[in-house]
PDB file of all heavy atoms in Angstrom:
ATOM      1  N   GLU B 151     107.408 128.077  78.782  1.00  0.00           N
ATOM      2  CA  GLU B 151     108.604 127.259  78.873  1.00  0.00           C
ATOM      3  C   GLU B 151     108.322 125.955  79.609  1.00  0.00           C
ATOM      4  O   GLU B 151     107.376 125.842  80.380  1.00  0.00           O
ATOM      5  CB  GLU B 151     109.735 128.027  79.569  1.00  0.00           C
ATOM      6  CG  GLU B 151     109.521 128.301  81.031  1.00  0.00           C
ATOM      7  CD  GLU B 151     108.809 129.609  81.295  1.00  0.00           C
ATOM      8  OE1 GLU B 151     108.104 130.105  80.374  1.00  0.00           O
ATOM      9  OE2 GLU B 151     108.931 130.134  82.395  1.00  0.00           O
ATOM     10  N   ILE B 152     109.164 124.983  79.346  1.00  0.00           N
ATOM     11  CA  ILE B 152     109.078 123.693  80.026  1.00  0.00           C
ATOM     12  C   ILE B 152     109.724 123.863  81.401  1.00  0.00           C
ATOM     13  O   ILE B 152     110.861 124.333  81.502  1.00  0.00           O
ATOM     14  CB  ILE B 152     109.808 122.615  79.220  1.00  0.00           C
ATOM     15  CG1 ILE B 152     109.163 122.476  77.831  1.00  0.00           C
ATOM     16  CG2 ILE B 152     109.800 121.288  79.951  1.00  0.00           C
ATOM     17  CD1 ILE B 152     109.985 121.650  76.858  1.00  0.00           C
ATOM     18  N   LYS B 153     108.990 123.463  82.436  1.00  0.00           N
ATOM     19  CA  LYS B 153     109.500 123.665  83.796  1.00  0.00           C
ATOM     20  C   LYS B 153     109.743 122.356  84.518  1.00  0.00           C
ATOM     21  O   LYS B 153     108.925 121.426  84.444  1.00  0.00           O
ATOM     22  CB  LYS B 153     108.532 124.533  84.598  1.00  0.00           C
ATOM     23  CG  LYS B 153     108.543 125.988  84.181  1.00  0.00           C
ATOM     24  CD  LYS B 153     107.824 126.871  85.194  1.00  0.00           C
ATOM     25  CE  LYS B 153     107.995 128.336  84.866  1.00  0.00           C
ATOM     26  NZ  LYS B 153     107.344 129.217  85.842  1.00  0.00           N
ATOM     27  N   PHE B 154     110.819 122.299  85.226  1.00  0.00           N
ATOM     28  CA  PHE B 154     111.215 121.144  86.021  1.00  0.00           C
ATOM     29  C   PHE B 154     110.245 120.939  87.175  1.00  0.00           C
ATOM     30  O   PHE B 154     109.850 121.901  87.841  1.00  0.00           O
ATOM     31  CB  PHE B 154     112.626 121.377  86.548  1.00  0.00           C
ATOM     32  CG  PHE B 154     113.065 120.439  87.640  1.00  0.00           C
ATOM     33  CD1 PHE B 154     113.519 119.172  87.343  1.00  0.00           C
ATOM     34  CD2 PHE B 154     113.033 120.844  88.963  1.00  0.00           C
ATOM     35  CE1 PHE B 154     113.934 118.310  88.349  1.00  0.00           C
ATOM     36  CE2 PHE B 154     113.449 120.001  89.977  1.00  0.00           C
ATOM     37  CZ  PHE B 154     113.901 118.731  89.665  1.00  0.00           C
ATOM     38  N   LEU B 155     109.864 119.676  87.415  1.00  0.00           N
ATOM     39  CA  LEU B 155     109.023 119.339  88.555  1.00  0.00           C
ATOM     40  C   LEU B 155     109.821 118.584  89.614  1.00  0.00           C
ATOM     41  O   LEU B 155     109.894 119.029  90.758  1.00  0.00           O
ATOM     42  CB  LEU B 155     107.823 118.500  88.114  1.00  0.00           C
ATOM     43  CG  LEU B 155     106.822 119.181  87.181  1.00  0.00           C
ATOM     44  CD1 LEU B 155     105.717 118.217  86.798  1.00  0.00           C
ATOM     45  CD2 LEU B 155     106.246 120.428  87.823  1.00  0.00           C
ATOM     46  N   LEU B 156     110.380 117.428  89.230  1.00  0.00           N
ATOM     47  CA  LEU B 156     111.174 116.688  90.204  1.00  0.00           C
ATOM     48  C   LEU B 156     112.096 115.696  89.525  1.00  0.00           C
ATOM     49  O   LEU B 156     111.988 115.439  88.332  1.00  0.00           O
ATOM     50  CB  LEU B 156     110.285 115.975  91.222  1.00  0.00           C
ATOM     51  CG  LEU B 156     109.743 114.588  90.896  1.00  0.00           C
ATOM     52  CD1 LEU B 156     109.345 113.885  92.172  1.00  0.00           C
ATOM     53  CD2 LEU B 156     108.611 114.655  89.922  1.00  0.00           C
ATOM     54  N   HIS B 157     112.990 115.147  90.341  1.00  0.00           N
ATOM     55  CA  HIS B 157     114.044 114.261  89.875  1.00  0.00           C
ATOM     56  C   HIS B 157     114.156 113.063  90.820  1.00  0.00           C
ATOM     57  O   HIS B 157     114.292 113.246  92.022  1.00  0.00           O
ATOM     58  CB  HIS B 157     115.366 115.049  89.829  1.00  0.00           C
ATOM     59  CG  HIS B 157     116.588 114.228  89.588  1.00  0.00           C
ATOM     60  ND1 HIS B 157     117.824 114.619  90.047  1.00  0.00           N
ATOM     61  CD2 HIS B 157     116.782 113.066  88.929  1.00  0.00           C
ATOM     62  CE1 HIS B 157     118.735 113.726  89.681  1.00  0.00           C
ATOM     63  NE2 HIS B 157     118.128 112.771  89.004  1.00  0.00           N
ATOM     64  N   PHE B 158     114.092 111.868  90.248  1.00  0.00           N
ATOM     65  CA  PHE B 158     114.335 110.631  90.986  1.00  0.00           C
ATOM     66  C   PHE B 158     115.719 110.089  90.641  1.00  0.00           C
ATOM     67  O   PHE B 158     116.137 110.123  89.474  1.00  0.00           O
ATOM     68  CB  PHE B 158     113.328 109.543  90.586  1.00  0.00           C
ATOM     69  CG  PHE B 158     111.957 109.679  91.179  1.00  0.00           C
ATOM     70  CD1 PHE B 158     110.922 110.220  90.439  1.00  0.00           C
ATOM     71  CD2 PHE B 158     111.696 109.238  92.462  1.00  0.00           C
ATOM     72  CE1 PHE B 158     109.643 110.326  90.968  1.00  0.00           C
ATOM     73  CE2 PHE B 158     110.421 109.336  92.999  1.00  0.00           C
ATOM     74  CZ  PHE B 158     109.393 109.879  92.252  1.00  0.00           C
ATOM     75  N   VAL B 159     116.393 109.562  91.640  1.00  0.00           N
ATOM     76  CA  VAL B 159     117.534 108.699  91.406  1.00  0.00           C
ATOM     77  C   VAL B 159     117.122 107.334  91.954  1.00  0.00           C
ATOM     78  O   VAL B 159     116.917 107.165  93.163  1.00  0.00           O
ATOM     79  CB  VAL B 159     118.805 109.181  92.126  1.00  0.00           C
ATOM     80  CG1 VAL B 159     119.945 108.194  91.882  1.00  0.00           C
ATOM     81  CG2 VAL B 159     119.195 110.572  91.639  1.00  0.00           C
ATOM     82  N   LYS B 160     116.986 106.414  91.032  1.00  0.00           N
ATOM     83  CA  LYS B 160     116.377 105.121  91.358  1.00  0.00           C
ATOM     84  C   LYS B 160     115.021 105.395  92.002  1.00  0.00           C
ATOM     85  O   LYS B 160     114.204 106.099  91.446  1.00  0.00           O
ATOM     86  CB  LYS B 160     117.314 104.295  92.222  1.00  0.00           C
ATOM     87  CG  LYS B 160     118.629 103.962  91.515  1.00  0.00           C
ATOM     88  CD  LYS B 160     119.510 103.037  92.351  1.00  0.00           C
ATOM     89  CE  LYS B 160     120.791 102.732  91.586  1.00  0.00           C
ATOM     90  NZ  LYS B 160     121.710 101.846  92.360  1.00  0.00           N
ATOM     91  N   GLU B 161     114.766 104.884  93.199  1.00  0.00           N
ATOM     92  CA  GLU B 161     113.434 105.081  93.790  1.00  0.00           C
ATOM     93  C   GLU B 161     113.370 106.306  94.698  1.00  0.00           C
ATOM     94  O   GLU B 161     112.292 106.629  95.217  1.00  0.00           O
ATOM     95  CB  GLU B 161     113.010 103.830  94.563  1.00  0.00           C
ATOM     96  CG  GLU B 161     113.816 103.546  95.818  1.00  0.00           C
ATOM     97  CD  GLU B 161     115.089 102.779  95.521  1.00  0.00           C
ATOM     98  OE1 GLU B 161     115.433 102.601  94.332  1.00  0.00           O
ATOM     99  OE2 GLU B 161     115.770 102.371  96.487  1.00  0.00           O
ATOM    100  N   SER B 162     114.479 107.006  94.869  1.00  0.00           N
ATOM    101  CA  SER B 162     114.524 108.126  95.814  1.00  0.00           C
ATOM    102  C   SER B 162     114.314 109.462  95.113  1.00  0.00           C
ATOM    103  O   SER B 162     114.840 109.705  94.030  1.00  0.00           O
ATOM    104  CB  SER B 162     115.884 108.150  96.522  1.00  0.00           C
ATOM    105  OG  SER B 162     116.087 106.959  97.241  1.00  0.00           O
ATOM    106  N   LYS B 163     113.585 110.337  95.772  1.00  0.00           N
ATOM    107  CA  LYS B 163     113.402 111.689  95.257  1.00  0.00           C
ATOM    108  C   LYS B 163     114.649 112.502  95.558  1.00  0.00           C
ATOM    109  O   LYS B 163     114.945 112.799  96.711  1.00  0.00           O
ATOM    110  CB  LYS B 163     112.167 112.331  95.897  1.00  0.00           C
ATOM    111  CG  LYS B 163     110.867 111.681  95.471  1.00  0.00           C
ATOM    112  CD  LYS B 163     109.680 112.296  96.195  1.00  0.00           C
ATOM    113  CE  LYS B 163     108.401 111.549  95.822  1.00  0.00           C
ATOM    114  NZ  LYS B 163     107.229 112.024  96.582  1.00  0.00           N
ATOM    115  N   GLN B 164     115.363 112.863  94.518  1.00  0.00           N
ATOM    116  CA  GLN B 164     116.583 113.655  94.668  1.00  0.00           C
ATOM    117  C   GLN B 164     116.258 115.133  94.866  1.00  0.00           C
ATOM    118  O   GLN B 164     116.903 115.830  95.627  1.00  0.00           O
ATOM    119  CB  GLN B 164     117.447 113.477  93.420  1.00  0.00           C
ATOM    120  CG  GLN B 164     118.731 114.252  93.398  1.00  0.00           C
ATOM    121  CD  GLN B 164     119.799 113.621  94.272  1.00  0.00           C
ATOM    122  OE1 GLN B 164     119.620 112.509  94.785  1.00  0.00           O
ATOM    123  NE2 GLN B 164     120.900 114.306  94.461  1.00  0.00           N
ATOM    124  N   ASP B 165     115.230 115.571  94.148  1.00  0.00           N
ATOM    125  CA  ASP B 165     114.869 116.987  94.186  1.00  0.00           C
ATOM    126  C   ASP B 165     113.424 117.109  93.744  1.00  0.00           C
ATOM    127  O   ASP B 165     113.093 116.689  92.644  1.00  0.00           O
ATOM    128  CB  ASP B 165     115.783 117.783  93.255  1.00  0.00           C
ATOM    129  CG  ASP B 165     115.501 119.276  93.258  1.00  0.00           C
ATOM    130  OD1 ASP B 165     114.511 119.716  93.877  1.00  0.00           O
ATOM    131  OD2 ASP B 165     116.279 120.023  92.630  1.00  0.00           O
ATOM    132  N   GLU B 166     112.587 117.643  94.595  1.00  0.00           N
ATOM    133  CA  GLU B 166     111.194 117.870  94.219  1.00  0.00           C
ATOM    134  C   GLU B 166     110.822 119.336  94.367  1.00  0.00           C
ATOM    135  O   GLU B 166     109.657 119.672  94.589  1.00  0.00           O
ATOM    136  CB  GLU B 166     110.252 116.961  95.007  1.00  0.00           C
ATOM    137  CG  GLU B 166     110.419 117.014  96.507  1.00  0.00           C
ATOM    138  CD  GLU B 166     109.492 116.015  97.195  1.00  0.00           C
ATOM    139  OE1 GLU B 166     108.397 115.734  96.679  1.00  0.00           O
ATOM    140  OE2 GLU B 166     109.872 115.503  98.274  1.00  0.00           O
ATOM    141  N   SER B 167     111.802 120.194  94.207  1.00  0.00           N
ATOM    142  CA  SER B 167     111.601 121.617  94.416  1.00  0.00           C
ATOM    143  C   SER B 167     110.662 122.256  93.404  1.00  0.00           C
ATOM    144  O   SER B 167     110.133 123.339  93.646  1.00  0.00           O
ATOM    145  CB  SER B 167     112.949 122.347  94.385  1.00  0.00           C
ATOM    146  OG  SER B 167     113.580 122.169  93.132  1.00  0.00           O
ATOM    147  N   GLY B 168     110.462 121.603  92.273  1.00  0.00           N
ATOM    148  CA  GLY B 168     109.600 122.173  91.241  1.00  0.00           C
ATOM    149  C   GLY B 168     108.143 121.759  91.337  1.00  0.00           C
ATOM    150  O   GLY B 168     107.304 122.261  90.576  1.00  0.00           O
ATOM    151  N   MET B 169     107.830 120.899  92.268  1.00  0.00           N
ATOM    152  CA  MET B 169     106.434 120.459  92.406  1.00  0.00           C
ATOM    153  C   MET B 169     105.581 121.640  92.859  1.00  0.00           C
ATOM    154  O   MET B 169     105.895 122.305  93.848  1.00  0.00           O
ATOM    155  CB  MET B 169     106.331 119.315  93.407  1.00  0.00           C
ATOM    156  CG  MET B 169     107.054 118.063  92.948  1.00  0.00           C
ATOM    157  SD  MET B 169     106.176 117.236  91.631  1.00  0.00           S
ATOM    158  CE  MET B 169     105.286 116.013  92.606  1.00  0.00           C
ATOM    159  N   PRO B 170     104.483 121.904  92.157  1.00  0.00           N
ATOM    160  CA  PRO B 170     103.723 123.128  92.421  1.00  0.00           C
ATOM    161  C   PRO B 170     103.045 123.165  93.792  1.00  0.00           C
ATOM    162  O   PRO B 170     102.986 124.223  94.409  1.00  0.00           O
ATOM    163  CB  PRO B 170     102.683 123.166  91.303  1.00  0.00           C
ATOM    164  CG  PRO B 170     102.830 121.933  90.511  1.00  0.00           C
ATOM    165  CD  PRO B 170     103.964 121.147  91.016  1.00  0.00           C
TER     166      PRO B 170
END
Side-chain angles (χ1 to χ4, degrees):
Chain B
E151 68 270 23
I152 299 168
K153 287 193 173 181
F154 166 81
L155 296 178
L156 86 159
H157 170 207
F158 283 100
V159 178
K160 298 185 179 179
E161 68 275 8
S162 299
K163 292 177 184 175
Q164 179 77 8
D165 181 353
E166 53 183 329
S167 61
M169 295 287 264

